[in-house]
């Protein structure tokens, strides 16, 4: 659905996916992550919960749109035929069956439930900064895992994926281990 909405404007927005710009946004997000986390934690009582909810929803929406835009390297199986053809063309040594990607349906449904709960219940707004960062890093990965990222620019997608894992580990610490969270009531 999101890819249909943005397909008409995708060519006009193509300049936004310039490797230097995406790399700079990723580096800036990573560099500011701890500082923003500290600012939110130190000022949690004065931050309105609606702003945290809006940040969570906006980050989820950006990620949803980024994932929906076709052209990533992992989407080439659908464009280039069966797994044997893909392997002969050197695109991948091992290609999973198409059904293996069905795991993404419950993942995105679970994320939608998480975001929806946070919109209606202030006590559900936990790990806001790491969750927003996770969605932004995932969006940066989606932008950078494309054929135009060659040479040293291929490292942008690796850095974004590693940053996604780092931010998710922070979400895990806050949610599962019960460490203090940045919640404004």
């Amino acid at each position: 659905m999101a890819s249909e909405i943005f397909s008409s404007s995708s060519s006009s927005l193509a300049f936004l996916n310039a490797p230097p710009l995406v790399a700079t946004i990723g580096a800036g997000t990573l560099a500011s992550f701890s500082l923003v986390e500290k600012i939110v934690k130190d000022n949690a009582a004065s931050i309105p919960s609606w702003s945290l909810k809006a940040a969570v929803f906006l980050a989820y929406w950006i990620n949803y749109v980024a994932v929906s835009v076709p052209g990533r390297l992992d989407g080439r199986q659908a464009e280039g035929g069966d797994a044997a053809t893909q392997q002969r063309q050197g695109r991948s040594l091992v290609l999973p069956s198409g059904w293996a990607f069905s795991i993404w349906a419950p993942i995105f449904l679970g994320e939608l439930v998480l975001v929806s709960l946070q919109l209606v219940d202030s006590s559900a707004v936990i790990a806001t900064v790491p969750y927003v960062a996770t969605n932004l890093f995932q969006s940066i990965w989606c932008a950078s895992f494309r054929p135009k990222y060659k040479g040293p620019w291929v490292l942008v997608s690796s850095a974004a994926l590693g940053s996604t894992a780092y931010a998710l580990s922070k979400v895990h610490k806050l949610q599962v281990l019960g460490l203090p969270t940045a919640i404004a009531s």
Side-chain angles (χ1 to χ4, degrees):
M1 181 170 118
S3 61
E4 293 171 8
I5 294 171
F6 293 96
S7 62
S8 61
S9 63
S10 63
S11 60
S12 63
L13 297 176
F15 73 94
L16 291 175
N17 194 1
L21 178 61
V22 172
T24 302
I25 291 170
T29 304
L30 184 60
S32 64
F33 181 39
S34 294
L35 177 63
V36 172
E37 201 172 28
K38 182 177 178 3
I39 290 170
V40 170
K41 182 181 176 189
D42 292 347
N43 299 297
S46 63
I47 298 174
S49 65
W50 67 264
S51 64
L52 297 175
K53 293 175 183 183
V56 167
F57 179 78
L58 181 62
Y60 174 79
W61 184 78
I62 289 169
N63 185 35
Y64 178 78
V65 170
V67 169
S68 300
V69 176
R72 287 193 324 262
L73 292 172
D74 61 340
R76 289 181 136 186
Q77 182 176 0
E79 299 166 5
D82 64 354
T85 304
Q86 295 282 313
Q87 288 172 332
R88 280 194 303 275
Q89 292 174 348
R91 291 187 184 162
S92 179
L93 295 175
V94 178
L95 287 173
S97 296
W99 62 265
F101 295 100
S102 63
I103 187 65
W104 288 106
I107 288 172
F108 276 103
L109 182 62
E111 284 190 45
L112 181 60
V113 168
L114 173 71
V115 169
S116 299
L117 283 175
Q118 292 182 56
L119 290 175
V120 297
D121 182 8
S122 291
S123 66
V125 180
I126 50 179
T128 301
V129 174
Y131 183 77
V132 168
T134 297
N135 279 283
L136 295 177
F137 289 133
Q138 174 69 18
S139 300
I140 291 165
W141 175 81
C142 287
S144 62
F145 197 58
R146 301 190 178 268
K148 72 193 278 182
Y149 285 74
K150 295 181 183 343
W153 296 115
V154 308
L155 298 174
V156 174
S157 67
S158 298
L161 205 53
S163 298
T164 301
Y166 171 70
L168 276 174
S169 74
K170 299 282 241 168
V171 172
H172 174 75
K173 271 185 182 178
L174 292 172
Q175 288 186 319
V176 176
L177 301 179
L179 297 177
T181 60
I183 302 175
S185 12

